[in-house]
Amino acid sequence: ALLTVGIALLTVGIALLTVGITLLTVGITLLTLRITLSTVGITLLTVGITLITVRITLLTVGITLLTVGITLITVRITLLTVGITLLTVGITLLTVGITLLAVGVV
C-alpha cells in the first residue's frame, strides 16, 4: 500500500516537475519577447528622432533658400532702379546735347 502511494506521489511529482519546466520555458519565451519588443520600440524611437532632425534640417534649408530668394529679388529691384535712373540720366544728357547742338547751329 505504501509502495503504491509512493509510486503515485512520485508520478504526481514528475507531472508537477514537467508542468514547472513548461511554465519556466513559457516565462523565458515571454521575457525574450518582451526584450525583443523593447528593442523594436527603442529602434522606432531612434528612427522617429532621426526623422524629426531631418525635418528640422530641411525646414532650416527651406528658410535659408527663401531668404536667399528674397535677397535676390531685392537685388534685382535695386538693379532695375539703378538701370531706370541711368536711362533717365542718359535721356537728360541726350536732351541737353541736342539743345546745345541746336544752340550751336543757331
Side-chain angles (χ1 to χ4, degrees):
L2 286 178
L3 185 61
T4 308
V5 171
I7 292 172
L9 289 176
L10 186 62
T11 307
V12 170
I14 291 172
L16 288 176
L17 185 62
T18 307
V19 170
I21 291 172
T22 304
L23 289 177
L24 184 63
T25 307
V26 170
I28 291 172
T29 304
L30 289 176
L31 184 63
T32 307
L33 182 61
R34 195 170 178 186
I35 292 171
T36 304
L37 289 177
S38 295
T39 307
V40 169
I42 292 171
T43 304
L44 289 176
L45 185 63
T46 308
V47 169
I49 292 171
T50 304
L51 289 176
I52 290 173
T53 307
V54 168
R55 277 181 96 176
I56 292 171
T57 304
L58 289 176
L59 187 62
T60 307
V61 169
I63 292 171
T64 305
L65 290 176
L66 185 62
T67 307
V68 169
I70 292 171
T71 304
L72 289 177
I73 289 173
T74 308
V75 168
R76 279 181 95 177
I77 291 172
T78 304
L79 289 176
L80 188 62
T81 307
V82 169
I84 291 172
T85 304
L86 290 177
L87 186 63
T88 308
V89 169
I91 291 171
T92 305
L93 290 176
L94 187 62
T95 307
V96 169
I98 291 171
T99 304
L100 289 176
L101 188 61
V103 169
V105 169
V106 174

